[in-house]
Amino acid sequence: MTGKAPVQDIDEDATAMEVGEPKHWAAGVPGVLHSMVPAIKDMGLSRALTLVTDMNQKDGFDCMSCAWADPEERKTFEFCENGAKAVTWEATPVTIPTSFWAENSITSLEGKSEYWLGMQGRLIEPVYKPKGSDNYEPITWDAAFALIAERLKAMDSPNEATFYTSGRTANETAFAYQLLARTFGTNNLPDCSNMCHESTGKALGEVIGIGKNTIAYKDFEKADLIIIMGQNPGTNHPRMLTALEEAKQAGAEIVAVNPLMEAGLVRYKNPQTVRGILGKGTGLADQYLQIRAGGDGWLMKAISQKVFQAEDARPGTVLDHAFLDEHCSGLDEFREHVKDLDHEMVLRATGLTQAQIDELAERYLRADKVIITWAMGLTQHRDAVRILKEVINLLLLRGNIGKPGAGASPIRGHSNVQGDRTMGIWEQMPEKFLAALDKEFGTTVPRAHGYDVVQSVEAMLAGKTKVWISMGGNLVSAVSDTHAAEEGFRKVGLNVQISTKLNRNHLTVGDEALILPVLGRTEIDMQAAGPQMLSVEDSVCAIHSTRGKVKPISPLLRSEMSVVVGIARALLGDDGPVDWASFERDYDVVRDHIEHVIPGFDDFNKRLHADNGFILPHGPRDSRTFPTATGKAMITVNDLEYLDCPPGRLLLQSMRAHDQFNTTIYSLDDRYRGIKKSRRVIFVHPDDLADLGFADGAIVDVHSEYTDGVDRAVHGFKVVAFPTSRGCAATYFPEGNPLVPLGLTALGSNTPASKGVVIRLEPAATAGGADAAGAPGTLATAGR
Ligand SMILES: Nc1nc2c(c(=O)[nH]1)N[C@H]1C(S)=C(S)[C@@H](COP(=O)(O)OP(=O)(O)OC[C@H]3O[C@@H](n4cnc5c(=O)[nH]c(N)nc54)[C@H](O)[C@@H]3O)O[C@H]1N2
Ligand SMILES: Nc1nc2c(c(=O)[nH]1)N[C@H]1C(S)=C(S)[C@@H](COP(=O)(O)OP(=O)(O)OC[C@H]3O[C@@H](n4cnc5c(=O)[nH]c(N)nc54)[C@H](O)[C@@H]3O)O[C@H]1N2
Ligand SMILES: [Mo]
């Protein structure tokens, strides 16, 4: 079926916004209904049912909506509202007809919103925009591959090409893709992780020797205390609420640390239980700390100080001496350092009261087994790496790493972002990995580090990038400083986007561009050796299989693997060190190579085919072995920064609404926060609004302030009085991205600090709220 767009173009305007009360609980029956209705409406009952019943089952496909782990015993419906939205969005029968490309110029499409673009349906044929043309036109796969090879070969250096990856790409494809980039000769392999958990990888990699979760799924139900920091699981990891409910019922206490009151952290009505459907559900957070943005490191340090004080009062009973003596370094330096902790600074940086901090300290001291989970609220700050090291310090003091029911738990975003890294998607893979690649394939891959995401935008801006290849994703919308990124992308010679659906990055291009449409995870991937399965790694290092279940939406689609192989063969030929054709024929071949190159994948094919998966080894989790510089878990001394905000300004975070997946917008509503019909909102504490002289509901322009003096602004946003911490404000990603300066990144990880931007509000320059430049609802806001 080729389709007409299922939605009208939206003239998104903040004045159309309906603002209701924020919710105090998440999921429940409305959640399930919300998830089923669009699926059935779009796909028909039978296709929808095949999909929802196969989702996250052992022989089914892995849900692409987040990296939350699967329990050992799967429920019949192992999916959530937002997983169902993601599947519906991908498996929609609506497709973009060939006529679309002649009828819609790139310039005209630039005026459309991300929401509209995504709703046009699936991409079903390769299309090409020649130099000088304002339209894409159909092209054959072979011609597309030949063109890419020709442009790559014409460059002066392989480093003039960049190979970006988003986190949906499966292990096998990711492995082949990085091998393509490296055998061609570059480590320019930026990925969405650079904008996501890079700070986690940096901090944990240094202090415990591995940048991954130290817990197993089962640990949740064994924990005494779970502290959830900088994460909104009700929207972004909804199935985690079930694990939290089970933990709660088994006696765990839960503490939420978050500037915003997030419905999902307050109360959960589990749609799978009678209690959840008919009753009040389960209250989740026993304590809710509405922290000031960026204050989490100070909070952790204050609790650590309390731990030492308790140890002084009851020597030998509070610290885990056996663990610290055998497995940790740096204890004495840290103890000395926190002795002089400035309490005034702690209160200022956290915005909390001493009583709140003391209460959390008591909970921490009472608990034998503590898990701390986190996501973007900790990683996307300038001081993120040090904040995360303070999280680890606190856990180590009482031996909360490498014991059942305890650990450090970064909750990953994209469903295979962790696996992509394991497979070598990183601009700075260590020598050990590169040497193993060379040994396996007889290659000599480059050693110099490549670009991360921010550096890759800087390189585009400097005119250093001739070919850009994206394995999924939508970087121009996802990265900070939207207008700088747009300018950069327009300087790229050839922009190749390997995608499932239309997005902004297809329209923000230079001379030439290609859109190569691929199978999604729900679709059957048929190759010469038969139907293929792929594998992914979730947040707790579990590798499992994923198999497409429905017929591909178009016979012209290729798998991501086929596209990598197509480019590789055209570029590198069939006589080189890598037998690319064998990769495409049978993905078992790729898995055999992975087994030889990457530790932990012994008997990869056997364990994947027979058992649907396995858990990767993890030194700290399995045996308290810490592969760090000191050979021990490193307790570190960190001089934290204070996230300063001048008078009359606010600290802005940009986060996800309930109806979006990153830059994919499912609807303009954010049910849990009480927002409908427009995403152009900025949430501010009522007292701050009063101090700043704005009425609740006023239409404003938002300007960010940064050391480079550039005036970055978005226009026509509605201010909504909201329960957030004082001095802090929130808006949505990607609408807020033009406000985040490209140079404002986390120290040590270079992750855009999109949760800590200094802004000021001004009365809207234009009435009605639409942007002065660019069409309403687009990212093309004026003023840079
Ligand atoms: N449905 C859905 N699921 C998703 C995604 C999606 O877009 N939609 N995206 C996926 C991806 S890629 C990722 S990375 C994850 C993201 O998952 P989350 O990290 O939950 O995503 P955000 O919406 O950015 O929420 C950040 C949270 O941190 C809080 N926060 C902000 N600043 C601070 C701070 O300084 N301190 C503390 N303690 N809290 C703070 C915010 O109030 C908010 O609750 O979700 C994944 N899953
Ligand atoms: N201000 C601000 N900015 C942020 C964040 C934030 O919290 N605030 N979060 C950051 C984070 S955590 C992340 S992870 C990044 C996300 O950055 P990206 O991963 O680059 O962005 P996505 O929106 O997830 O990419 C969506 C596109 O992927 C394509 N796609 C979907 N499924 C598939 C598939 O199966 N195969 C292929 N080949 N393509 C597919 C579709 O064309 C779709 O348009 O954004 C970051 N940007
Ligand atoms: Mo992410």
Side-chain angles (χ1 to χ4, degrees), residues 232 236 257-258 262 294 296 376 381 653 656 660 662 755:
N232 178 21
N236 298 313
V257 183
N258 199 312
E262 303 285 25
D296 303 79
M376 297 305 100
H381 277 294
Q653 63 153 318
R656 291 148 179 83
Q660 78 182 79
N662 297 341
K755 298 288 193 272

Side-chain angles (χ1 to χ4, degrees), residues 231-303:
Q231 191 199 350
N232 178 21
T235 285
N236 298 313
H237 307 92
R239 289 187 305 137
M240 178 173 169
L241 299 186
T242 308
L244 292 177
E245 182 184 46
E246 284 162 6
K248 193 79 204 244
Q249 282 160 1
E253 292 186 348
I254 293 177
V255 174
V257 183
N258 199 312
L260 291 175
M261 261 300 175
E262 303 285 25
L265 292 169
V266 178
R267 179 168 289 278
Y268 175 47
K269 296 194 186 182
N270 187 344
Q272 313 244 10
T273 64
V274 174
R275 186 185 152 82
I277 291 170
L278 300 177
K280 288 196 346 214
T282 306
L284 288 181
D286 296 280
Q287 190 187 0
Y288 208 116
L289 294 171
Q290 283 194 269
I291 197 164
R292 180 180 185 271
D296 303 79
W298 294 91
L299 175 65
M300 294 291 97
K301 214 183 252 195
I303 310 288

Side-chain angles (χ1 to χ4, degrees), residues 425-714:
I425 301 287
W426 194 25
E427 74 284 353
Q428 36 182 304
M429 282 306 276
E431 173 59 27
K432 230 172 124 184
F433 175 88
L434 301 174
L437 272 188
D438 283 347
K439 182 158 173 271
E440 175 73 2
F441 296 102
T443 46
T444 312
V445 301
R447 283 350 195 225
H449 290 176
Y451 302 139
D452 64 19
V453 150
V454 167
Q455 291 162 342
S456 75
V457 174
E458 288 163 350
M460 284 190 264
L461 282 167
K464 290 187 193 159
T465 304
K466 303 234 168 81
V467 177
W468 175 274
I469 303 184
S470 264
M471 180 54 82
N474 182 9
L475 188 69
V476 77
S477 273
V479 74
S480 44
D481 227 337
T482 312
H483 303 304
E486 286 171 344
E487 196 182 318
F489 270 103
R490 294 208 168 94
K491 293 186 177 175
V492 172
L494 172 66
N495 183 330
V496 183
Q497 297 281 333
I498 302 163
S499 313
T500 53
K501 284 227 183 158
L502 197 58
N503 66 44
R504 263 227 109 60
N505 224 147
H506 302 129
L507 311 172
T508 316
V509 295
D511 286 345
E512 294 177 291
L514 282 164
I515 306 176
L516 305 180
V518 286
L519 297 174
R521 222 181 252 175
T522 51
E523 288 163 314
I524 296 165
D525 181 356
M526 187 59 78
Q527 301 294 347
Q532 299 296 311
M533 68 170 172
L534 289 157
S535 67
V536 291
E537 174 182 345
D538 66 25
S539 264
V540 297
C541 313
I543 301 285
H544 49 89
S545 59
T546 171
R547 295 177 175 84
K549 287 286 164 181
V550 297
K551 200 172 145 227
I553 202 73
S554 152
L556 277 176
L557 296 183
R558 298 220 175 163
S559 71
E560 291 180 348
M561 181 69 82
S562 300
V563 174
V564 174
V565 169
I567 298 172
R569 293 180 72 184
L571 177 66
L572 306 166
D574 286 326
D575 309 325
V578 182
D579 181 3
W580 293 104
S582 69
F583 280 35
E584 183 181 18
R585 200 177 311 125
D586 184 352
Y587 301 174
D588 280 359
V589 172
V590 186
R591 282 186 280 272
D592 284 339
H593 288 299
I594 292 172
E595 176 174 342
H596 302 154
V597 172
I598 304 172
F601 285 84
D602 313 78
D603 290 326
F604 190 6
N605 271 308
K606 188 165 151 260
R607 288 195 287 169
L608 202 65
H609 284 282
D611 314 328
N612 290 306
F614 52 93
I615 310 259
L616 285 176
H618 185 296
R621 182 197 64 208
D622 302 337
S623 58
R624 292 186 154 181
T625 316
F626 297 94
T628 62
T630 61
K632 297 198 167 188
M634 291 162 65
I635 298 173
T636 50
V637 168
N638 306 293
D639 286 312
L640 296 171
E641 282 190 351
Y642 168 70
L643 188 49
D644 201 18
C645 188
R649 310 295 189 266
L650 297 166
L651 287 173
L652 180 77
Q653 63 153 318
S654 41
M655 44 151 203
R656 291 148 179 83
H658 193 61
D659 277 6
Q660 78 182 79
F661 186 90
N662 297 341
T663 67
T664 294
I665 311 300
Y666 303 128
S667 93
L668 303 180
D669 301 347
D670 189 6
R671 186 159 43 96
Y672 292 159
R673 298 195 183 103
I675 299 298
K676 278 193 177 156
K677 296 193 178 164
S678 170
R679 293 172 46 89
R680 302 171 76 78
V681 63
I682 173 160
F683 300 102
V684 182
H685 190 284
D687 296 344
D688 286 326
L689 270 190
D691 286 357
L692 295 171
F694 286 94
D696 184 8
I699 303 292
V700 299
D701 294 343
V702 187
H703 295 259
S704 67
E705 296 181 0
Y706 185 58
T707 50
D708 63 4
V710 173
D711 179 28
R712 295 176 178 82
V714 293

